[in-house]
Amino acid sequence: MQIVGCDFHPRWQQVSFLDQETGEYREAKLVNGDGEAERFYRSLSPGALVGIESCGNAQWFIDLLSSLGHTVWVGDAAKIRASYVRKQKTDRRDADHILKLLVEDRFPRLWTPSAEQRDLRQLLIHRHKLVEIRTRVKNGLQHLAMNRGVQKQSRLWSVRGRAELEKLPLEGWSARRREDLLELMKGLDRQIKELDEAVVQAAREDAKAELLMSQPGVGPITAMAFVLTIGDVSRFEYSGKVASYLGLIPSEYTSGGKRKLGATSKQGNRFMRQLLVEAAQTACRLDEGFRKQYQARCHHKPKAVAKVAAARRLAVRLYWMLRLNKRYPEIAHIESSSGVPLAIHGRDVE
């Protein structure tokens, strides 16, 4: 079998090659832009194993290797680096180290989404970015209104508030700014509405997302994002790994019998955490179990901490809904029943 350890960069890549049948080993620095890298991989026998670290802007390279019939493993960059003890870091050493991990079957392989899942992720990301831009536009309009003594907060976007905003006595570039921002917001509203409809349609056609939407507070966007982020739910043995994967567990420093917990680790998908916190606040209003636990925690913890805790609980519940294929309120009944603990491999899970 032919194995390649690849230290990938946007312009070029360093590779270490090993043919296990012949024992041939060689190193090479390949330029991506002039076709040198493609020619190298075309010269390999179909079915070669190529390992790379997870990085941005490498999808074209992964697609190229797949089209040539090679197997591509994407590894956790942090774990790969942590397994390398030497202080000297070079591209040649990195490629050799990746090759060594592949040969010794210690490569920390990551789950990778399908092409359809990647495309749906782009839909959610595009909508999220447009919403962020619209928020900045609204903040600019709020600034203009407040400078003229108009303090309506969210009511500024009602029909009456918009009419009052358009009638403000502004002159010169202030008036020009108001007109441009209103025009921008109008276009953004139209685009975001189209994307919202696309997300709703995609969620209705996805059985897993439709299952998650039975939970109060979880809409099409949160459901689709959770399904696309978690992927194959069976790769998580228990719910604590999901919470860790999403960055919803506290950072910890335990040594010498002393345990110190800090703020949440915030590792993983920031967009997913934001959606879970927003959905958890809605769930606390609509779901009695969430509301009671949230209110009890608010008595001795800051509200921000209580919100994150509710988000973690929501992530755990969504995980079990997918794992057990149970809808709400059946999954809530199972959670509350002491006679039916949620457990896998002897681990009791909240």
Side-chain angles (χ1 to χ4, degrees):
M1 183 179 184
Q2 296 176 324
I3 304 178
V4 180
C6 174
D7 184 34
F8 180 85
H9 299 273
R11 294 185 178 180
W12 53 275
Q13 55 185 275
Q14 180 73 33
V15 298
S16 293
F17 168 83
L18 174 65
D19 190 325
Q20 290 184 313
E21 294 182 359
T22 64
E24 178 189 3
Y25 169 83
R26 65 177 185 267
E27 300 175 345
K29 180 178 179 180
L30 308 174
V31 179
N32 296 326
D34 63 358
E36 182 182 13
E38 182 175 351
R39 289 191 296 271
F40 169 78
Y41 290 103
R42 286 189 181 276
S43 68
L44 303 180
S45 302
L49 175 61
V50 182
I52 66 172
E53 293 182 348
S54 59
C55 60
N57 305 319
Q59 190 58 51
W60 68 269
F61 177 59
I62 296 174
D63 292 340
L64 171 64
L65 295 179
S66 299
S67 67
L68 296 176
H70 301 315
T71 301
V72 186
W73 285 6
V74 180
D76 188 325
K79 290 184 178 179
I80 291 175
R81 182 55 187 164
S83 63
Y84 188 65
V85 296
R86 295 195 61 167
K87 297 296 184 181
Q88 294 80 16
K89 181 185 183 303
T90 65
D91 295 327
R92 290 180 62 186
R93 291 183 185 276
D94 289 347
D96 278 342
H97 184 58
I98 292 173
L99 177 62
K100 180 180 179 181
L101 294 176
L102 290 170
V103 172
E104 297 177 354
D105 197 23
R106 296 191 295 119
F107 188 75
R109 185 181 179 185
L110 294 174
W111 171 81
T112 53
S114 64
E116 181 182 2
Q117 289 172 323
R118 291 198 305 269
D119 190 53
L120 288 173
R121 283 183 174 188
Q122 291 302 313
L123 167 62
L124 295 176
I125 292 172
H126 183 46
R127 180 196 173 276
H128 177 63
K129 295 299 182 182
L130 290 183
V131 170
E132 287 184 334
I133 295 173
R134 184 176 64 178
T135 300
R136 297 181 66 178
V137 170
K138 286 185 174 182
N139 289 341
L141 290 170
Q142 286 278 12
H143 170 73
L144 291 174
M146 292 176 66
N147 271 341
R148 291 297 182 271
V150 177
Q151 300 185 20
K152 288 184 171 294
Q153 299 180 350
S154 61
R155 292 175 297 162
L156 187 65
W157 315 121
S158 64
V159 175
R160 181 179 298 179
R162 288 282 292 270
E164 187 173 348
L165 176 62
E166 293 174 358
K167 294 179 181 178
L168 286 178
L170 300 178
E171 298 178 355
W173 287 108
S174 295
R176 171 65 181 274
R177 185 185 181 200
R178 175 181 57 187
E179 294 174 5
D180 290 349
L181 290 178
L182 286 172
E183 189 65 26
L184 276 174
M185 192 169 73
K186 182 179 178 180
L188 289 169
D189 286 339
R190 175 181 54 79
Q191 295 179 57
I192 292 172
K193 182 179 179 180
E194 294 175 359
L195 297 177
D196 285 341
E197 294 173 353
V199 174
V200 171
Q201 182 64 28
R204 289 175 178 173
E205 296 174 355
D206 190 293
K208 293 181 179 179
E210 196 272 336
L211 175 71
L212 298 184
M213 285 191 292
S214 64
Q215 165 66 40
V218 175
I221 296 172
T222 303
M224 282 301 301
F226 193 84
V227 169
L228 296 173
T229 301
I230 297 302
D232 182 8
V233 71
S234 63
R235 64 195 180 103
F236 299 98
E237 294 181 34
Y238 52 95
S239 60
K241 288 195 173 183
V242 175
S244 175
Y245 181 75
L246 297 173
L248 291 172
I249 62 171
S251 56
E252 180 178 359
Y253 182 82
T254 300
S255 180
K258 296 182 179 180
R259 188 185 188 198
K260 182 179 179 181
L261 298 178
T264 53
S265 64
K266 294 185 179 180
Q267 294 177 319
N269 193 319
R270 182 173 64 89
F271 175 47
M272 188 69 251
R273 284 198 304 275
Q274 178 181 336
L275 290 177
L276 285 171
V277 171
E278 292 176 355
Q281 295 179 71
T282 306
C284 288
R285 296 198 306 267
L286 303 178
D287 189 315
E288 183 179 359
F290 270 85
R291 181 171 62 253
K292 289 182 177 179
Q293 191 175 82
Y294 173 75
Q295 291 175 344
R297 188 170 278 111
C298 283
H299 287 308
H300 55 89
K301 294 286 185 179
K303 284 190 176 181
V305 174
K307 289 178 181 179
V308 174
R312 181 184 185 278
R313 185 186 177 193
L314 179 61
V316 169
R317 174 172 289 183
L318 297 182
Y319 162 78
W320 281 111
M321 291 175 73
L322 292 177
R323 191 69 186 261
L324 302 178
N325 195 29
K326 301 292 185 182
R327 301 175 64 88
Y328 182 89
E330 185 178 2
I331 192 69
H333 176 71
I334 294 175
E335 283 183 357
S336 62
S337 175
S338 59
V340 190
L342 292 176
I344 286 184
H345 303 308
R347 289 180 179 268
D348 290 335
V349 187
E350 58 180 290

